[in-house]
Amino acid sequence: MPSQEETLKSLLEALSFSPENIPLRKHVASILMDLQRYEEAEKQYSQGLQYVPGDLEIKLGLAEAFSRQGKKSASLVILEELMNVEPPIAKAFILHARLSFQNGEYEQSLESYQQAIRLDRSLRDVSFENQLGEHVAPAGYDDGYGGRVPVEYVDDDEDEIFGEIERPSINFSDVGGMDRVKEEIGLKIILPLKHPDLYQAYGKSIGGGMLLYGPPGCGKTHLARATAGEVNAGFISVGINDILDMWIGNSEKNLHYIFQTARAEAPCVLFFDEVDALGASRADMKQSGGRHLINQFLAELDGVKYSNDGVLILAATNTPWNMDSAFRRPGRFDRILFVPPPDEAAREAILRIMMKDKPVDAIDYAKLAKKTAGLSGADLKAVVDIAIEQKLRDSMRSGKLEPISLKDMLNAAGKVASSTKEWFATARNYALYSNEAGLYDEILAYLNIKK
C-alpha cells in the first residue's frame, strides 16, 4: 500500500489539474495536517477559501492549522465566527477551549469545553480535563470517571442521543455470502416478525438477542443494518460514545433512554457495536460505575419493567472472551454466531456488489475471488479503493474515463494484506485453552484444528 507521502504526491499532481476540486483540496490539507506540515496545510485551506469563502469545514481546518503554528490570534478570530453558526460546530468549541487554556483563560476554557462535549460526547478528553481541573476544580474533586471538571452536565430536555432512527434501504440481497449467519438470523429474528400469530400461539415472544463475533471488517454492522431492512424495521446503531458519560448515573440513563426509544418504535433493530466495551467482565473492574452500567444493561435485556416485544437486539464484538458471562444467559444474547471472513463464493458476491455501477472492463470475479483468499470484507473494500484511485490518476492523465480491468484489481489485491491474521492468532489460543463450554468450537472448525 502506498505511503502517505506517495499518496500526497499523487493527489497534489491531480490537484494541479483540477484546482477547483474542493473535496480533493480538503483531503490534501488533512494529509498535510497528519504529516505535521501545518504551513502547507494553511496554504491549501486558504486557497480553498478563495473558491468557497463560506465553507465552514475549511475555516475550521484553517483555524487548526493556525493553532498548530502558534498563531493563536488568527485562529481565535475564525473560531469566534464558527462558534456562532447554526447548527453549532463541536470541534470549534473544543479547539477554542484548548486555546483559551493556553492563554490562561481557564473559566472560558471550561465553558467552551462543556459546550463541546454537550454537542459531541466523543470529544471528551480526560487528560485535558485533569489539566483544566487543576485550575477550576476544588481540591480533591473527582467526577468518578477519571476527570476533574467540576461543572455537571445534565441533559434536562433529554435530547436524542443518537439522532434520527434509520430506515435501512438494504436487505440480505445486498450482503455477500454469510448464508449460515443469515439463516440463523432469519429463524431467530425475521420469521417471528413475518409470522407473529404463529409465534404468539405458542407463547413465544417476538424479539430477542443475538451476539455476532469474529475478526474486524467482516460485515457484522452491515449485516445488522440489512436485517432491519429485511423486515422494514427501524434501526438504531449504538456505539460506546452514545452511552458513556462522565457523570455518575448518566450512562445508565442514556442506556435506558435508548432501549425506551427502541420499544416505542417496535419493530426495531437495536444494534450495539463493540459491545464488549459496555459489557466487559465485572470481575475485572475496579470502579463501581462500570458494574452499575452492566447491571443496567442486563436489566434492560431482561425486560423486567418494560417489555422488549418487537425489539430485536443485535450486538457485535471482536473479543467475546472479554464479555461478562451473564450476557450469555438464555433470554439475553442466547444465540452467539461466529462471522468468519468471506469464503470464495462470498468474496465473489461481495466484489460484484462493490463494483456495481462502476466503469469496469470484463472482470472475471471468480478468478479475482480465488486471488483474494483470507481477505475480509473491509480488506476487499480497500482493494476496490486502491484500484479506483489508480484509475482516477490514469483518467486525469488521459483526459477520458478509464475502465477498471481484472489486471487493475489483481494489482490492487497484491497491495492489501489480510487484516484478520492477528485476530485469529489470539482467537486460536482462547479456542484451545479457554473453551470449556465449546463456545469457540466454530473458530477451531474454521482453522481446521482438532482438539
Side-chain angles (χ1 to χ4, degrees):
M1 189 174 293
S3 67
Q4 268 194 319
E5 291 283 359
E6 292 171 334
T7 301
L8 178 62
K9 184 178 179 181
S10 300
L11 293 176
L12 285 170
E13 181 181 353
L15 191 59
S16 67
F17 289 104
S18 181
E20 296 183 13
N21 188 330
I22 299 304
L24 179 59
R25 190 174 294 280
K26 289 179 182 178
H27 187 46
V28 167
S30 68
I31 292 178
L32 288 168
M33 291 293 289
D34 290 340
L35 294 173
Q36 299 182 11
R37 291 160 62 173
Y38 304 125
E39 187 174 352
E40 294 175 65
E42 174 192 336
K43 181 179 178 182
Q44 292 296 335
Y45 285 128
S46 297
Q47 290 177 349
L49 286 176
Q50 294 177 14
Y51 295 103
V52 282
D55 192 303
L56 300 180
E57 184 180 353
I58 292 181
K59 288 184 177 181
L60 181 60
L62 181 58
E64 185 170 3
F66 280 147
S67 171
R68 296 283 185 169
Q69 297 175 77
K71 301 177 181 179
K72 298 178 185 178
S73 298
S75 182
L76 287 170
V77 169
I78 298 174
L79 291 174
E80 286 173 4
E81 175 191 350
L82 296 179
M83 290 164 66
N84 289 296
V85 301
E86 288 293 338
I89 302 173
K91 289 184 178 180
F93 283 92
I94 200 74
L95 183 54
H96 187 267
R98 295 184 185 281
L99 288 175
S100 298
F101 180 85
Q102 292 171 18
N103 288 338
E105 300 168 352
Y106 303 119
E107 294 297 333
Q108 179 61 62
S109 176
L110 175 62
E111 183 179 339
S112 296
Y113 179 77
Q114 287 291 343
Q115 178 64 7
I117 61 170
R118 191 174 290 119
L119 295 169
D120 185 354
R121 300 182 189 193
S122 68
L123 295 176
R124 190 194 175 199
D125 185 341
V126 173
S127 176
F128 179 64
E129 283 179 23
N130 287 330
Q131 291 179 334
L132 185 56
E134 291 176 5
H135 299 278
V136 297
Y141 181 90
D142 185 349
D143 70 2
Y145 287 83
R148 294 191 61 229
V149 172
V151 177
E152 182 171 353
Y153 163 60
V154 179
D155 194 0
D156 291 324
D157 56 0
E158 210 168 52
D159 289 337
E160 279 191 329
I161 297 169
F162 38 76
E164 294 183 1
I165 295 175
E166 186 180 342
R167 297 283 173 179
S169 58
I170 63 172
N171 54 38
F172 280 174
S173 64
D174 300 297
V175 179
M178 290 198 275
D179 294 332
R180 181 189 60 81
V181 180
K182 286 190 283 191
E183 182 181 356
E184 287 287 338
I185 292 176
L187 291 172
K188 172 75 174 177
I189 289 179
I190 295 175
L191 287 180
L193 279 177
K194 290 186 174 180
H195 305 281
D197 295 339
L198 181 61
Y199 277 74
Q200 288 171 4
Y202 284 95
K204 184 73 172 174
S205 63
I206 301 173
M210 185 173 291
L211 178 65
L212 309 176
Y213 80 93
C218 289
K220 296 183 284 294
T221 303
H222 187 57
L223 181 62
R225 185 171 277 107
T227 299
E230 190 75 13
V231 291
N232 195 29
F235 181 76
I236 300 175
S237 180
V238 185
I240 184 172
N241 293 324
D242 298 315
I243 303 294
L244 295 187
D245 193 281
M246 67 178 72
W247 307 111
I248 295 174
N250 274 8
S251 297
E252 293 91 320
K253 173 187 170 185
N254 293 344
L255 184 63
H256 175 66
Y257 177 56
I258 288 174
F259 266 92
Q260 286 292 75
T261 302
R263 290 163 184 146
E265 294 292 328
C268 185
V269 173
L270 185 53
F271 175 65
F272 291 89
D273 197 11
E274 297 181 354
V275 70
D276 50 287
L278 298 173
S281 175
R282 285 169 289 185
D284 298 332
M285 292 184 177
K286 296 180 180 179
Q287 293 185 333
S288 61
R291 292 193 291 271
H292 293 326
L293 179 59
I294 290 177
N295 291 337
Q296 179 73 32
F297 201 167
L298 295 173
E300 298 291 349
L301 290 172
D302 290 338
V304 176
K305 292 184 178 181
Y306 306 92
S307 172
N308 286 335
D309 199 35
V311 179
L312 318 173
I313 305 166
L314 293 176
T317 177
N318 300 328
T319 56
W321 39 82
N322 290 338
M323 288 191 66
D324 195 294
S325 59
F327 283 95
R328 297 196 293 270
R329 202 199 74 183
R332 294 169 180 169
F333 293 121
D334 47 4
R335 292 287 183 91
I336 301 178
L337 294 179
F338 175 53
V339 182
D343 58 19
E344 187 173 313
R347 291 195 300 277
E348 181 177 347
I350 291 169
L351 288 164
R352 287 183 182 276
I353 292 172
M354 288 181 175
M355 298 303 291
K356 185 179 178 182
D357 299 328
K358 293 180 175 62
V360 299
D361 182 18
I363 294 177
D364 185 344
Y365 289 102
K367 182 175 181 179
L368 182 58
K370 289 181 180 179
K371 296 293 186 179
T372 52
L375 297 189
S376 68
D379 296 334
L380 294 175
K381 179 66 166 58
V383 170
V384 172
D385 287 344
I386 291 173
I388 289 175
E389 288 170 5
Q390 181 57 51
K391 299 314 287 186
L392 283 171
R393 286 192 285 267
D394 294 345
S395 297
M396 289 176 186
R397 293 190 184 101
S398 66
K400 63 180 181 179
L401 188 68
E402 299 284 351
I404 303 169
S405 67
L406 176 61
K407 181 180 179 181
D408 296 323
M409 295 295 287
L410 291 174
N411 287 338
K415 299 176 182 178
V416 177
S418 172
S419 63
T420 64
K421 290 182 179 179
E422 184 178 348
W423 185 89
F424 275 111
T426 301
R428 177 182 177 276
N429 292 332
Y430 280 98
L432 283 172
Y433 307 116
S434 300
N435 192 25
E436 293 83 359
L439 183 64
Y440 308 125
D441 285 350
E442 288 181 292
I443 296 175
L444 295 176
Y446 180 84
L447 295 174
N448 202 21
I449 296 174
K450 293 182 180 180
K451 290 187 72 173

